[in-house]
Amino acid sequence: MNGDSRLILPTRRTILKGATGAAALGLVSPFPKPAIAQGAPLKVGFMLPYTGTFAKLGKFIDEAFRLHVEQKGGKLGGRQVAFVQVDDESKPEAATDNMNRLVGREKVDVVVGTVHSGVAMAMVKVARDTNTLLIIPNAGANEATGPACAPNIFRTSFSNWQPAFPMGKVMAEAGHKNIVTITWRYAAGQQMVDSFKENLAQTGSGAKIVEELYLPFPEVEFQSLITRIATLRPDAVFSFFAGGGAVKFVKDYAAAGLKERIPLYGTGFLTDGTIEAQGEAANGIKTTLHYADNLDNPANKAFLEAFKKKTNLDGDVYAVQGYDSAALLDIGLTAVGGDAGARDKMIAAMEGAKIDSPRGPISFSKSHNVVQNIYLREVRNGRNEYVSVAHANLADPARGCRLSA
Ligand code: BEZ
């Protein structure tokens, strides 16, 4: 995996090598094929963070997407695939230029990205303006499948509303009355806190938010805010952090001696893909997410085994999202014999997709956001272990989306 912060592109020769390689190996069918199957490979543009606090998240999405393609013999919908990568560094200010390079200069057929909600919103705008097919494999910005929804935009991961919503009920049922929230001040953090509060209010439990704490993304100087939590002495804390920031927050929280006194909750990004680095500090943390390490279904077992074999690493929610993004694209391309230009038919197939995902069965709502189970998990034995289904088949409310597919 290339960790370069600049545009990471294969050379023209690399792409051509991939396209002609099959013919050179004599893999030429005696039967005539649709023109598209004999043509150029489908060009997939990855716009992901390969550096910075979300670097590991981007890497796992990329690796798992490629794993799916490899499992299909290097093809999607029967068509050879070539990749172009851009490191978006989780920087919204560079997002429009990065997206324009993929769409304009590289002329990709589809963009897969990204992780950070702010970057994703700039991508959504370019995708809408240029009618580029965009598959979002992580970023939860509610708007992407809300007011900014579009026929050419799909999300295989979650909306920020989804994993946070069930946590209101979970914490109310645990008897917590005075709750502090803490997160980065940007779209994902704000929207997850709002969704959590929405559900908490609906419980009628009388639980209230004592204070909302924020720090700028991607800062990790948590000390003054942790001191503030100690002073406020709430019953519990709800949080959103992810990647490198989540590792440090969980460790700092435990090191301050708060872990045993004030239980820490959050959306599952707090402990997914971070648990090894967090060690003991993560034990006992309860989170809600659309994945758990030990989900007992054949798709999950096969996926974790294959991902480990390919990367020598343990799969996580980000890897699952990357894998499912390839599965969704495969369904669309299969319906059109690999001809990504047959857009309406391809989109109709993607809208109707039902995927047997490692996270459990998933489908897509009218706004093109994934519909999925949200699980309550607890960190035990260094794993995010399944506790219960916190909310079955949860669809984002898609507020403001005008799609009627
Ligand atoms: C986001 O910015 O949408 C996001 C980033 C990491 C994990 C979850 C959400």
Side-chain angles (χ1 to χ4, degrees):
M1 168 68 53
N2 194 332
D4 195 346
S5 66
R6 292 163 298 130
L7 189 68
I8 309 163
L9 297 174
T11 61
R12 195 171 128 73
R13 181 177 297 164
T14 318
I15 295 170
L16 289 176
K17 226 189 341 190
T20 54
L25 288 169
L27 302 176
V28 180
S29 162
F31 304 106
K33 286 190 184 146
I36 196 71
Q38 297 165 15
L42 181 93
K43 211 165 172 186
V44 175
F46 281 143
M47 185 161 151
L48 292 166
Y50 293 100
T51 54
T53 201
F54 290 159
K56 187 179 171 209
L57 287 56
K59 175 182 154 93
F60 273 44
I61 290 167
D62 176 317
E63 293 278 16
F65 191 103
R66 288 174 196 264
L67 169 64
H68 197 105
V69 174
E70 282 162 28
Q71 289 176 339
K72 297 267 168 178
K75 296 177 180 176
L76 289 178
R79 187 160 166 201
Q80 210 76 40
V81 177
F83 296 102
V84 186
Q85 294 167 287
V86 172
D87 179 6
D88 69 36
E89 302 172 77
S90 297
K91 287 190 176 154
E93 64 276 18
T96 304
D97 281 354
N98 282 332
M99 183 74 173
N100 280 331
R101 277 152 100 173
L102 283 177
V103 174
R105 199 163 81 193
E106 287 303 317
K107 302 202 177 348
V108 298
D109 294 294
V110 52
V111 176
V112 176
T114 188
V115 168
H116 182 286
S117 275
V119 176
M121 284 317 296
M123 296 173 73
V124 162
K125 176 155 188 347
V126 176
R128 286 174 63 104
D129 290 350
T130 58
N131 196 24
T132 301
L133 183 60
L134 172 64
I135 299 179
I136 303 173
N138 185 75
N142 291 337
E143 297 87 340
T145 53
C149 70
N152 55 313
I153 298 170
F154 283 81
R155 176 156 52 198
T156 55
S157 49
F158 56 90
S159 71
N160 288 326
W161 182 91
Q162 271 176 310
F165 187 76
M167 192 41 112
K169 187 158 175 266
V170 168
M171 288 181 71
E173 282 177 356
H176 302 309
K177 295 280 184 233
N178 299 308
I179 297 167
V180 165
T181 66
I182 180 166
T183 186
W184 281 308
R185 187 181 287 289
Y186 84 109
Q190 190 65 65
Q191 292 178 350
M192 287 189 208
V193 166
D194 288 348
S195 172
F196 163 69
K197 281 167 36 184
E198 182 185 332
N199 188 238
L200 192 69
Q202 285 173 14
T203 63
S205 64
K208 63 178 193 299
I209 306 298
V210 181
E211 200 158 301
E212 295 180 23
L213 302 173
Y214 295 94
L215 76 167
F217 176 89
E219 277 183 22
V220 291
E221 293 313 318
F222 299 114
Q223 211 45 60
S224 60
L225 297 180
I226 286 175
T227 303
R228 179 72 186 146
I229 293 171
T231 307
L232 289 167
R233 298 174 61 189
D235 299 333
V237 170
F238 170 84
S239 61
F240 161 71
F241 293 106
V247 172
K248 182 155 188 304
F249 177 69
V250 165
K251 286 176 120 176
D252 287 1
Y253 194 85
L258 291 192
K259 186 163 132 42
E260 270 70 42
R261 286 164 40 209
I262 306 171
L264 181 59
Y265 293 79
T267 46
F269 311 105
L270 190 65
T271 53
D272 226 83
T274 54
I275 206 163
E276 211 179 310
Q278 287 162 338
E280 277 292 305
N283 264 343
I285 294 179
K286 290 195 178 119
T287 59
T288 41
L289 199 68
H290 45 287
Y291 185 63
D293 292 329
N294 62 335
L295 282 182
D296 191 12
N297 68 65
N300 191 35
K301 285 184 186 142
F303 167 73
L304 288 174
E305 198 181 311
F307 190 80
K308 182 93 180 181
K309 197 163 165 216
K310 175 174 163 62
T311 63
N312 209 21
L313 297 165
D314 293 322
D316 61 12
V317 71
Y318 307 105
V320 169
Q321 293 166 177
Y323 193 71
D324 291 344
S325 298
L328 179 64
L329 185 56
D330 185 46
I331 287 168
L333 284 166
T334 301
V336 294
D339 180 5
R343 179 66 74 77
D344 290 352
K345 198 169 168 198
M346 187 172 165
I347 284 175
M350 290 166 76
E351 283 169 343
K354 306 238 177 300
I355 299 174
D356 185 18
S357 166
R359 67 185 106 166
I362 61 171
S363 59
F364 292 84
S365 66
K366 284 185 178 142
S367 66
H368 294 182
N369 189 61
V370 62
V371 178
Q372 57 193 343
N373 292 336
I374 304 293
Y375 305 103
L376 174 62
R377 312 110 47 86
E378 181 172 349
V379 177
R380 300 178 194 136
N381 314 308
R383 291 201 309 176
N384 285 293
E385 293 201 344
Y386 169 90
V387 174
S388 61
V389 175
H391 201 129
N393 282 321
L394 186 59
D396 176 85
R399 292 169 186 139
C401 174
R402 302 266 175 273
L403 276 182
S404 56

